[in-house]
Amino acid sequence: MRLSNTHFSLLRPLVRSLPPSLLHSCSSSTFSTKGSGASCRHLSTNGSAPQPLIGQDSVEVLGHSFPRDDFTNVTPKILAKVGCNLHNQSHHPLWIIKERIKSHFYSSYVGRLGNPLFSVHDTLSPVVTVEQNFDSLMIPPGHPSRKRGDNYYLNRTMMLRAHTSAHQSELVRSGLDAFLVAGDVYRRDEIDASHYPVFHQMEGVRLFSCRQLFSKVQNGEDLSLFERGGRRTPQKQETHTLEAVKLLEFDLKQTLTRLVKHLFGEDLEIRWVDCYFPFTHPSFEMEVRFQGDWMEVLGCGVMEQELLNSAGAANKLGWAFGLGLERLAMVLYSIPDIRLFWSQDDRFLKQFRVQDIHQPICFQPLSKYPPLVNDISFWLPENRENFTENDFYDLVRSIGGDLVEKVTLVDEFTHPKTGRHSQCYRLTYRHMERTLTQQEVRLMHQQIECAAETELGVQGRF
């Protein structure tokens, strides 16, 4: 549920909800690109599809073609991840986390007829429209989260989703009051042990009618979800009553606290931090204690009423949350590096082949191969608006891939006479499965130096 680089949806009885197969056919499954004549009839990523391809005039992904334009910035290495669906690979640590969350919601939230209240959707396509990813969530034009430097665009109207919240509106519009969405999301980001341009989220949404929210409150029939003439405060939206919001906030925090304690045990330290998201108010982040530090693992809040109104649920209030599966797995299984989730090394994968998904697992580290460190310094272009740090991080990933463990900005200065600005980055290379040689790293580093000059317009100080 994160909207920036500092870290970014969910109840109706299942008997009244649609099964995933039917939902795929009746929800917003047709995305058209103006002027292209191309349509994308797919919400599911199940089954095989042709290999992605970036051509001179188009991008091919999941069997569909999208015209390129000045916003196209997706790279071959990123497209190669589309369709991998680690969260659906049996006995992968991300699959185990997802299944444990599903199991918790299925067993803890049951309707009067004994059926699960939450439906689960984990095969929705990561290729979405810009409208789905931003406009449907009330993220205004010009918002920093829309920046080309932070997202992977196929063109100006299509992109790889930056959060599973992109599906909130279509699922609510289809008639669902309670659902979970799991999937891969894509963001241009920094490079270190806990950040990767492709990661996996699980979104949750629960909507309440007036009767449902106040059913356990004495004289609840006298209470209301909405008020006229109200004003927006840090505690509530202008259309909501304070008592409704406080009850909804309590239910949300209690639900998520029960979830993480179910996953990690009663001894886990957690804390709540007030924050901001364009599509919820009030909004919160949950942080957990990990390796001596506080790490944000999910964002949540009371859904903006305008979002629900536009999705046909104007008579209800709702909460939403989004959590990162990798971050939960890193805490739960003591996995030290996010790159490991993409490893094909059997020494990693076999540790998660368990008969019971609730069985405790403590990851045993693979051999720690030595790192190799190289610096790169360059003058930024005269028009510094044409350069962002994420541009450099993405270029490094496109060449070095998962061999690059970390990239750190270690120095920058402005020349007192010319006014030119210089940056120095430290690149740490480490293979997860063997020892790298200085020769192969130097060759890769030289390719990065050359590409930085030709593609980013910087002047090397090599």
Side-chain angles (χ1 to χ4, degrees):
M1 203 166 181
R2 183 184 65 171
L3 273 178
S4 67
N5 289 335
T6 58
H7 290 20
F8 209 166
S9 247
L10 308 100
L11 207 221
R12 187 188 202 105
L14 188 60
V15 69
R16 296 180 58 195
S17 72
L18 300 171
S21 58
L22 181 57
L23 175 62
H24 291 162
S25 64
C26 71
S27 56
S28 302
S29 58
T30 302
F31 313 141
S32 60
T33 307
K34 293 183 179 179
S36 71
S39 65
C40 178
R41 274 201 173 274
H42 63 282
L43 276 184
S44 173
T45 57
N46 279 346
S48 60
Q51 289 297 307
L53 174 68
I54 301 179
Q56 184 175 355
D57 300 314
S58 64
V59 177
E60 309 281 341
V61 57
L62 293 177
H64 296 269
S65 178
F66 303 91
R68 295 187 59 168
D69 60 23
D70 60 327
F71 245 57
T72 305
N73 66 352
V74 68
T75 66
K77 274 190 166 57
I78 294 301
L79 281 186
K81 306 292 187 184
V82 178
C84 290
N85 299 324
L86 299 184
H87 62 290
N88 287 336
Q89 292 185 15
S90 181
H91 298 290
H92 190 280
L94 299 180
W95 174 84
I96 294 176
I97 286 283
K98 183 199 70 172
E99 292 300 312
R100 289 191 63 186
I101 294 173
K102 283 172 54 178
S103 174
H104 171 74
F105 275 93
Y106 280 170
S107 62
S108 300
Y109 303 94
V110 179
R112 288 174 297 176
L113 300 178
N115 55 282
L117 292 174
F118 283 80
S119 59
V120 177
H121 312 274
D122 56 11
T123 61
L124 303 180
S125 172
V127 179
V128 299
T129 64
V130 171
E131 190 278 334
Q132 284 177 295
N133 199 78
F134 296 120
D135 299 325
S136 72
L137 293 166
M138 301 173 50
I139 300 171
H143 191 276
S145 67
R146 290 179 179 253
K147 288 189 303 183
R148 183 173 178 269
D150 289 345
N151 300 283
Y152 287 105
Y153 285 92
L154 302 180
N155 53 43
R156 282 187 173 270
T157 60
M158 303 296 298
M159 64 186 297
L160 299 179
R161 65 187 170 207
H163 43 224
T164 49
S165 306
H167 303 288
Q168 270 189 24
S169 182
E170 66 190 84
L171 293 175
V172 171
R173 189 177 292 110
S174 73
L176 299 180
D177 280 357
F179 53 85
L180 301 172
V181 180
D184 44 332
V185 299
Y186 300 78
R187 301 206 192 123
R188 301 175 89 216
D189 213 336
E190 57 194 288
I191 301 175
D192 59 31
S194 62
H195 291 85
Y196 199 81
V198 188
F199 57 104
H200 298 74
Q201 283 187 333
M202 188 164 236
E203 195 86 7
V205 166
R206 183 173 184 178
L207 308 184
F208 292 87
S209 66
C210 186
R211 180 185 58 81
Q212 289 172 323
L213 188 61
F214 296 121
S215 62
K216 297 181 180 180
V217 177
Q218 187 174 4
N219 299 321
E221 63 275 6
D222 298 328
L223 300 176
S224 175
L225 301 178
F226 307 105
E227 66 179 6
R228 293 183 178 180
R231 63 187 182 90
R232 180 170 290 244
T233 70
Q235 288 76 38
K236 73 177 197 71
Q237 300 170 38
E238 49 270 67
T239 60
H240 296 165
T241 63
L242 183 60
E243 55 266 27
V245 171
K246 288 302 181 184
L247 197 56
L248 199 66
E249 179 184 329
F250 175 80
D251 184 84
L252 169 62
K253 291 182 176 180
Q254 184 183 58
T255 298
L256 294 175
T257 298
R258 286 174 175 170
L259 171 63
V260 297
K261 297 213 170 197
H262 164 76
L263 293 174
F264 303 109
E266 294 295 323
D267 294 335
L268 182 72
E269 291 185 74
I270 67 172
R271 70 181 183 185
W272 295 99
V273 179
D274 293 339
C275 64
Y276 166 78
F277 300 119
F279 40 86
T280 56
H281 180 81
S283 303
F284 316 95
E285 287 181 344
M286 175 192 281
E287 296 182 347
V288 301
R289 178 75 76 173
F290 177 59
Q291 294 182 349
D293 295 320
W294 288 101
M295 183 171 74
E296 182 262 320
V297 293
L298 63 84
C300 63
V302 177
M303 298 175 71
E304 283 284 354
Q305 194 60 37
E306 186 178 333
L307 189 158
L308 293 178
N309 294 347
S310 64
N315 62 330
K316 296 174 182 176
L317 260 61
W319 52 245
F321 72 85
L323 56 83
L325 294 179
E326 277 89 349
R327 293 205 160 192
L328 290 181
M330 291 175 79
V331 176
L332 185 60
Y333 304 133
S334 300
I335 297 174
D337 194 309
I338 196 170
R339 293 177 298 163
L340 281 165
F341 292 103
W342 296 91
S343 175
Q344 296 299 309
D345 191 327
D346 195 57
R347 293 176 299 167
F348 172 74
L349 296 174
K350 70 180 181 182
Q351 298 187 44
F352 300 93
R353 295 182 191 134
V354 294
Q355 293 183 339
D356 181 0
I357 60 173
H358 300 289
Q359 176 180 328
I361 304 171
C362 185
F363 171 67
Q364 298 300 313
L366 310 180
S367 299
K368 190 72 170 179
Y369 296 97
L372 293 174
V373 178
N374 286 264
D375 290 351
I376 179 172
S377 300
F378 46 72
W379 297 105
L380 300 188
E382 290 187 11
N383 184 359
R384 289 173 55 186
E385 293 183 356
N386 293 334
F387 175 90
T388 68
E389 290 183 25
N390 279 350
D391 292 334
F392 180 65
Y393 297 144
D394 208 43
L395 181 143
V396 171
R397 285 197 188 277
S398 68
I399 297 174
D402 289 354
L403 297 185
V404 182
E405 179 178 78
K406 186 175 183 180
V407 178
T408 308
L409 178 63
V410 294
D411 185 47
E412 57 183 329
F413 75 94
T414 300
H415 194 284
K417 294 184 178 180
T418 66
R420 301 182 70 187
H421 194 78
S422 172
Q423 290 184 341
C424 176
Y425 291 87
R426 179 154 296 155
L427 279 64
T428 302
Y429 300 86
R430 192 200 308 262
H431 201 292
M432 306 297 291
E433 299 164 12
R434 64 177 176 85
T435 299
L436 290 172
T437 67
Q438 183 61 52
Q439 182 179 3
E440 63 183 318
V441 166
R442 185 56 195 162
L443 180 62
M444 186 182 303
H445 197 73
Q446 288 173 343
Q447 292 176 330
I448 293 172
E449 291 174 337
C450 181
E453 289 191 313
T454 58
E455 297 182 27
L456 302 182
V458 302
Q459 182 181 347
R461 303 180 64 216
F462 322 135

